[in-house]
Amino acid sequence: MATYTPMIMQYLKVKAEYQDAFLFFRLGDFYEMFFEDAIKASQELEITLTSRDGGSTERIPMCGVPYHSAPNYIEQLIEKGFKVAICEQTEDPKQAKGVVKREVVQLITPGTVMDGKGLHDKENNYIASISLFNDHTAGLAYSDLSTGETKVTQLAATFDDLVNELATIGAKEVVIHTEFDEDLKKKMCERTGVTVSYENETELSVKFSSLMDDLKQDKLQTTVCRLLNYLFKTQKRSLDHLQKVETYQVQQFMKIDYYSKRNLELTETIRAKGKKGSLLWLLDETMTAMGARMLKRWIDRPLIDLGEIEKRHSMVALLQERFFEREDIRELLKEVYDLERLAGRVAFGNVNARDLIQLRKSLAQIPLLKNIISELGQDIADEIMEAIDPCDELTNMLEDSLHEQPPLSIKEGNIIKDGYNGELDEFRDASRNGKTWIAQLEREERERTGIRSLKVGYNRIFGYYIEVTKANLGSLEEGRYERKQTLTNAERFITPELKEKEALILQADEKSIELEYELFLKIRETVKDYIPRLQKLARIVSEIDVLQCFATVSEKRHYVKPAFNRERRIMIKDGRHPVVEKVMDAQEYVPNDCYMDPEREILLITGPNMSGKSTYMRQLALTAILAQIGCYVPAKEADLPIFDQVFTRIGAADDLISGQSTFMVEMLEAKNAITNATQDSLILFDEIGRGTSTYDGMALAQAIIEYIHEKIKAKTLFSTHYHELTILEQELANVKNIHVSAMEHNGSLVFLHKIKEGAADKSYGIHVAQLAELPENLISRANEILSRLEQKKGQAGDVSVTPPQASPAFKEIKEEQPSQLSFFQEQKSEKDNASNLNKKERKLLEELKSFDILEMNPLQAMNALYDLQKKLKK
Ligand code: ADP
């Protein structure tokens, strides 16, 4: 057994309670880490690993960071998803007997940061908790510690539902029971990258029970308590800003699952994972950080209640019409500080006088804001106006008490205005009078001695003094002055009178600084009482900000107010993709109509690659989402149903995190859509079935279309390069073909990006290959094969099903190509073993031999093959 020094023993004892965190152990001016923590931290933070004698036979690994630069290192660790326990000295080392007492004063985790880089102005920082119940449901609660918001809901305890919700809120950390389902936990972490923490206590101290006043269900209470207990235990300080817990139901909002959110790039792009290029980026014309956070929340949860949607639209309409008022509102909002986070920091006890000045300036805007809104003169605006509580008394109190430009420190005075506190005024008078007396003294002494260069000065060691140059010393009256300090060419003196005044001045200064500090703390306490009102005000100001943002964007980008119908009809005239349109020049963007109704439920989109199929599909989804968050939409006219859910399978966004194959993800997304969609949903399937062999893919695609057509009846856009699927229009009543037009011009392809009725007549694959600059001889070889195939079949478009014949120019490529004919080849290999077949099989095989696949439409061929297979199995 190793024996350690008492200090290391103390370290180990504390560390045992914080196994999953880096323990920052305060030693003088440093936070030190030891053992494993030191090794890991030195790697993560790129700081030097040293060692120290810890009493045992071996030296102990150690590394440390200076106290003053610790926040920076802590941020780095939190960003990486780690936790940091701050262990401080809790007694004066001079008074300590033995080892200085130390205690963890706060545990900082990814979900509980209150400042620094980890906390983005325009994003909430959520920490969630999950409880699994016996009835296969789960409770999910989440809080943003920086704003005090807490919400809770009940979900099905499935991986999909939980992950969707965690991803929607973007939780950084999740608190669970130590006995939580291991498998679920593992998958959840893999998918969302959350940091996991544990808390088993689900009873809440009475002091906080009022937070749950509005919460009826006991089950959900346990989920909330798990979260709150974790927050209290880790933060170890007042959390008076926590707001009453609100319940919500995911069914109250349009459901957009995790995959679809990503695919549609609502709040971040798939590739760069940044905001730029996302719908959020396009929309963000908010003027405040709180508004930006609310905008993101609204995009994450579009509404489905027509009344609520229309309320937002009416306000956007009003603000759009009233340009001048809107501009005034924007100007005012510029001056409004982050009230919501400020309220949190007030509760945490770390605001200074400058923060409160910001608060005062922000509050000063509120009556003006209220005024402009009332000038809009409509019921909808009046409702908002009524809800604005300007907190006048608070504004006045801050106005009367605080200096305009206080220092950063709250312990050096110069914070409180004259006239705010009688006692403070007296101290200040004493000090000022004393200083006037001293200025007067300088004048009198010069007259008395006749020395014009005599001056009265002050320094910290000797206090006030009279300074006379050496040359003038002779003019001083003997015995009146007491020598204090000798300089090279001057002497400094004091007099009893001067010392007496000095004591008064210094005492007054000291007392006034002390008093100012006390007064400031009192003011801060008073502000604390206003936290709930400030939070309410923050909410309404954020809402106004988002609504003005919608009006601004809608005007700038020529969006229109959508109408809604209950006939499950989509009618969009000249619709545009909001982001693509912004990125390219607006004039270049080709607008497109979209019409769908119960007789036109599924649109099958064909057209060359790169012609704009997926842009068209996304355009519809984004238009629906914009409409349901309360914004106008990019079109000349739009009449829409209210969608309950949006599902997408777009592009080849490989799911790298979970290591699943593209095709598997494709199928998972398809499953998710067809098991959850209703007739009020919107499904976008882009090239589904592409990730497998031709027949496989085509068969799946057709079966999926049939399934949606028969069973779900959801509005579906289905783009495909399987030209063969277009015959489904003839077989399924509510399937219609549309295509994106393209034109051949001088042997190359011109994309028109225009959607037209009917199927595309060519696949244009070779032209796209040409655009991609594949080798010249490869392209001409492909053209050769194509024309031979066309001759053979007397029709175009079936390139993909026929293996090319080898030629020197093509050979290498052909050999590297994976087989596209798995099904067909299976049959062929059986044919090779013809001798082992029985009579019935041989007969069927004869039948098979008589097929000429090339003469058949691939769907017919496929059906024939499946028939054969069935017969074989009988
Ligand atoms: P596809 O899905 O058919 O392969 P995309 O939808 O990805 O094609 O579109 C390819 C490119 O064409 C887009 O990146 C965009 O630049 C351009 N594009 C698409 N639709 C339009 C349009 N309506 N107007 C102008 N350009 C468009």
Side-chain angles (χ1 to χ4, degrees), residues 89-185:
Q89 295 170 176
T90 49
E91 69 177 340
D92 187 343
K94 285 180 208 124
Q95 253 118 65
K97 293 193 188 85
V99 185
V100 184
K101 275 205 194 97
R102 290 185 179 83
E103 257 174 55
V104 170
V105 294
Q106 189 182 6
L107 179 67
I108 308 175
T109 68
T112 60
V113 278
M114 281 296 280
D115 43 33
K117 267 202 298 246
L119 196 64
H120 303 283
D121 284 357
K122 295 186 162 199
E123 271 173 44
N124 281 103
N125 192 58
Y126 287 125
I127 175 166
S129 71
I130 297 179
S131 316
L132 300 178
F133 307 128
N134 289 335
D135 59 358
H136 304 294
T137 62
L140 184 145
Y142 64 87
S143 285
D144 181 337
L145 190 61
S146 68
T147 65
E149 165 196 16
T150 302
K151 294 210 160 124
V152 62
T153 193
Q154 188 167 357
L155 301 165
T158 65
F159 168 69
D160 280 346
D161 282 37
L162 289 170
V163 165
N164 275 343
E165 208 43 27
L166 285 178
T168 295
I169 58 180
K172 299 268 169 49
E173 186 174 355
V174 59
V175 187
I176 53 180
H177 194 285
T178 41
E179 310 273 286
F180 193 86
D181 185 300
E182 257 318 299
D183 190 40
L184 191 56
K185 178 182 92 184

Side-chain angles (χ1 to χ4, degrees), residues 351-364:
V351 292
N352 58 29
R354 288 196 188 165
D355 293 319
L356 294 190
I357 287 293
Q358 296 263 35
L359 172 61
R360 202 205 72 209
K361 285 187 182 158
S362 307
L363 288 174

Side-chain angles (χ1 to χ4, degrees), residues 575-577 580-581 584-585 587-592 605-619 650 686-687 690 719 740 751-755:
R576 286 118 51 203
H577 186 299
V580 176
E581 173 191 50
M584 66 198 314
D585 199 349
Q587 270 92 47
E588 277 174 37
Y589 195 85
V590 181
N592 275 305
I605 314 174
T606 40
N609 278 330
M610 292 298 290
S611 61
K613 296 186 295 298
S614 68
T615 307
Y616 181 70
M617 299 171 63
R618 287 161 195 264
Q619 174 173 316
I650 298 183
D686 193 6
E687 302 279 10
R690 191 186 195 152
S719 81
V740 199
F751 297 118
L752 301 176
H753 304 305
K754 197 74 192 168
I755 295 283

